[in-house]
Amino acid sequence: MSLADLPPLREALERHDLLARKSFGQHFLLDLNITRKIARLADVHEGDTVVEVGPGPGGLTRALLETGARVVAIEKDSRFLPLLAELSEAADGRLELVEGDALKVDGAKAAGDVPAHVVSNLPYNVGTQLLINWLTGPFKPLSMTLMFQKEVAERIVAGTDDDAYGRLAVISQVLCDAKIVMDLPAKAFTPPPKVASAVVRLVPKADPPPADIIAALERVTAAAFGQRRKMLRSCLKGLGGADLCEKAGVSPDARAEVIDLAGFLALARATLG
């Protein structure tokens, strides 16, 4: 059986008696027209390696495999493994299954220590933490095309003039060019979530700050946005307060929400002496 011969996703789910689990944050994307569009937006091509988290019944997985890519799918819910194994057979083994929690799986090792893209309809309950792990951890994806709740997607791409601007925006945009490339209504999913979703495309910058600066940036943004209505002199007191701000060339009377990426990088560098 080839990919073209596979039964519709809804039929495959019924045959395996599979339903989404709320505890896993599962909402299935079964429309292959949508998943194929996501694969195109991810700019995945034949011979590429793609890491996918939470494939579930494999709607996005099918679209990725149709590009000719090799897909490494990390799935925590063992109920889906038989269905995904059928998909792997239809793709002549280009789908490799890793059973486990993506928060604990070494992405680089799972990909076989080759450069890889990440393309996923992320489980809602772990999506933000996974993104932070990929941004700041040892696994460095070539690109990330990720679906989140729309509210989270807006936090990733927000600027200083947006209410959603915060720590996630700063860390994401210091390390990547990030933009929303697709919006999806709740009705596109089975079962429909209570909120809309959006796909964010993140492409790492060619010359990112070194690891010590990123670690310092995480500390600074955690403190600054942890008390975002306070002036920096107060919320950064544990890191140097007004003296730190003056060293970085940032107003100690400003609030975190008005400090741009360059300002936060300056604060991060200032904490290192």
Side-chain angles (χ1 to χ4, degrees), residues 245-268:
C245 293
E246 289 169 8
K247 185 177 179 181
V250 173
S251 171
D253 296 329
R255 291 178 172 82
E257 60 200 28
V258 303
I259 305 301
D260 62 12
L261 303 182
F264 273 112
L265 280 171
L267 286 166

Side-chain angles (χ1 to χ4, degrees), residues 12 24-25 41 45 52 54 99 124 126 150-151 154 159 164 190 219 238 241 251:
F24 284 1
L41 290 168
H45 302 283
E52 182 188 6
E99 183 179 1
Y124 280 175
V126 295
K150 190 169 184 179
E151 177 187 359
E154 290 171 343
T190 302
R219 293 191 294 270
S251 171

Side-chain angles (χ1 to χ4, degrees), residues 7 19 77 81 86 93 110 121 148 160 163 170 173 177 203 210 216 219 229 269:
L19 298 173
D77 190 342
L81 297 182
E86 294 174 2
N121 170 19
F148 299 92
T160 53
D163 290 341
V170 174
Q173 293 173 44
D177 293 317
V203 179
R219 293 191 294 270
R229 297 306 175 190
R269 292 189 182 99

Side-chain angles (χ1 to χ4, degrees), residues 86-105:
E86 294 174 2
L87 183 53
S88 179
E89 184 177 350
D92 296 322
R94 285 185 292 109
L95 172 60
E96 300 172 25
L97 303 177
V98 177
E99 183 179 1
D101 184 342
L103 289 171
K104 300 175 182 178
V105 172

Side-chain angles (χ1 to χ4, degrees), residues 41-43 116-120 122 127-128 130-132 134-136 140-148 152-158 168-182 198-206:
L41 290 168
D43 199 24
H117 303 272
V118 176
V119 186
S120 292
L122 292 176
T128 302
L130 283 170
L131 174 59
I132 291 293
W134 293 326
L135 288 170
T136 63
K140 303 297 183 187
L142 293 171
S143 71
M144 292 173 279
T145 306
L146 308 171
M147 189 179 302
F148 299 92
V152 176
E154 290 171 343
R155 286 169 50 206
I156 293 167
V157 304
L168 188 59
V170 174
I171 294 173
S172 297
Q173 293 173 44
V174 160
L175 291 165
C176 296
D177 293 317
K179 64 178 180 178
I180 292 176
V181 294
M182 186 179 184
V199 177
V200 181
R201 172 105 168 129
L202 300 106
V203 179
K205 293 185 176 178

Side-chain angles (χ1 to χ4, degrees), residues 13-247:
L13 283 170
E14 290 174 2
R15 180 160 51 84
H16 287 270
D17 195 25
L18 292 169
L19 298 173
R21 279 185 177 169
K22 187 176 181 180
S23 62
F24 284 1
Q26 292 173 337
H27 298 279
F28 303 146
L29 195 54
L30 304 180
D31 187 333
L32 290 177
N33 291 318
I34 294 176
T35 59
R36 286 168 180 148
K37 182 176 180 180
I38 294 170
R40 289 194 300 272
L41 290 168
D43 199 24
V44 171
H45 302 283
E46 183 175 357
D48 287 348
T49 294
V50 178
V51 173
E52 182 188 6
V53 170
L60 180 56
T61 318
R62 285 196 193 189
L64 293 169
L65 290 168
E66 286 175 354
T67 69
R70 164 184 170 247
V71 179
V72 179
I74 303 171
E75 180 55 70
K76 182 178 181 179
D77 190 342
S78 60
R79 299 178 304 152
F80 290 100
L81 297 182
L83 188 156
L84 292 169
E86 294 174 2
L87 183 53
S88 179
E89 184 177 350
D92 296 322
R94 285 185 292 109
L95 172 60
E96 300 172 25
L97 303 177
V98 177
E99 183 179 1
D101 184 342
L103 289 171
K104 300 175 182 178
V105 172
D106 182 332
K109 185 176 180 181
D113 293 314
V114 300
H117 303 272
V118 176
V119 186
S120 292
N121 170 19
L122 292 176
Y124 280 175
N125 53 358
V126 295
T128 302
Q129 187 57 56
L130 283 170
L131 174 59
I132 291 293
N133 290 356
W134 293 326
L135 288 170
T136 63
F139 175 42
K140 303 297 183 187
L142 293 171
S143 71
M144 292 173 279
T145 306
L146 308 171
M147 189 179 302
F148 299 92
Q149 296 177 53
K150 190 169 184 179
E151 177 187 359
V152 176
E154 290 171 343
R155 286 169 50 206
I156 293 167
V157 304
T160 53
D161 56 347
D162 297 322
D163 290 341
Y165 183 66
R167 184 177 182 228
L168 188 59
V170 174
I171 294 173
S172 297
Q173 293 173 44
V174 160
L175 291 165
C176 296
D177 293 317
K179 64 178 180 178
I180 292 176
V181 294
M182 186 179 184
D183 292 311
L184 285 100
K187 65 182 181 181
F189 298 87
T190 302
K194 295 180 180 179
V195 295
S197 299
V199 177
V200 181
R201 172 105 168 129
L202 300 106
V203 179
K205 293 185 176 178
D207 188 22
D212 60 341
I213 297 295
I214 296 305
L217 183 67
E218 289 189 85
R219 293 191 294 270
V220 167
T221 53
F225 288 105
Q227 303 178 74
R228 62 186 299 150
R229 297 306 175 190
K230 290 188 177 182
M231 295 179 183
L232 291 177
R233 66 167 67 245
S234 296
C235 55
L236 296 181
K237 190 173 182 179
L239 297 173
D243 290 342
L244 176 70
C245 293
E246 289 169 8
K247 185 177 179 181

